[in-house]
Amino acid sequence: MNNVVLIGNISTDLELKQTMNGKSVCQFNLAINGYGEKTDFVPVQVWNKQAENLVKFQQKGSKIGVVGRISVDNYEQEGQKKTFTKVIAHEVEFLGTKKQEKTVAEVRYERKNAVNESLLANSNSFGITDEDLPF
């Protein structure tokens, strides 16, 4: 069985490429929190429509989930045998973009400001003037 499930942040800029056969492919590194303060950067490859949607809707810093398989490529470079390990994604789930992710404090602050602005905008609709205020 060869199955991998990862959740992390895209750590490289996304670029959509086309193969000679016209298939879309996107390769990037996924930053995954490891044990302690360690971060692992795992190479991921996404194909076809999923690759197109990934580039269209996500960016560097976006949090995603990946389900796929491990692929090990063997090659020779300058007379030395080398291996390159990557994850071939079967499924990619968007868990939010960096721009969409906000802390609870940021959300509360924005809501409070929106309520205050709404109250100020509607204060004259209640027939209240500055002279009616005790302060």
Side-chain angles (χ1 to χ4, degrees), residues 73-110:
D73 296 329
N74 297 304
Y75 64 98
E76 195 170 313
Q77 184 179 27
E78 298 177 7
Q80 293 183 350
K81 292 184 179 182
K82 298 190 176 203
T83 60
F84 181 74
T85 304
K86 62 187 171 194
V87 172
I88 308 290
H90 299 294
E91 297 177 43
V92 177
E93 185 170 335
F94 303 161
L95 302 176
T97 64
K98 190 173 185 179
K99 291 180 181 176
Q100 291 172 336
E101 295 170 359
K102 296 180 182 178
T103 66
V104 172
E106 289 172 324
V107 171
R108 286 181 182 158
Y109 178 79
E110 288 175 0

Side-chain angles (χ1 to χ4, degrees), residues 1 12 21-22 25 37 47 58 61 71 83 91 103 116-117 122:
M1 180 182 297
T12 52
N21 297 334
V25 63
E37 294 183 19
W47 289 87
Q58 301 297 294
S71 174
T83 60
E91 297 177 43
T103 66
N116 288 341
E117 288 175 11
N122 294 325

Side-chain angles (χ1 to χ4, degrees), residues 1 10 17 25 32 45 69 76 93 95 107 118 128 131 134:
M1 180 182 297
I10 299 169
K17 295 183 179 182
V25 63
I32 301 166
Q45 193 174 68
R69 65 179 174 84
E76 195 170 313
E93 185 170 335
L95 302 176
V107 171
S118 175
I128 300 172
E131 291 84 31

Side-chain angles (χ1 to χ4, degrees), residues 10-24:
I10 299 169
S11 66
T12 52
D13 290 326
L14 297 176
E15 182 181 349
L16 188 66
K17 295 183 179 182
Q18 300 291 324
T19 66
M20 299 285 274
N21 297 334
K23 292 185 179 186
S24 301

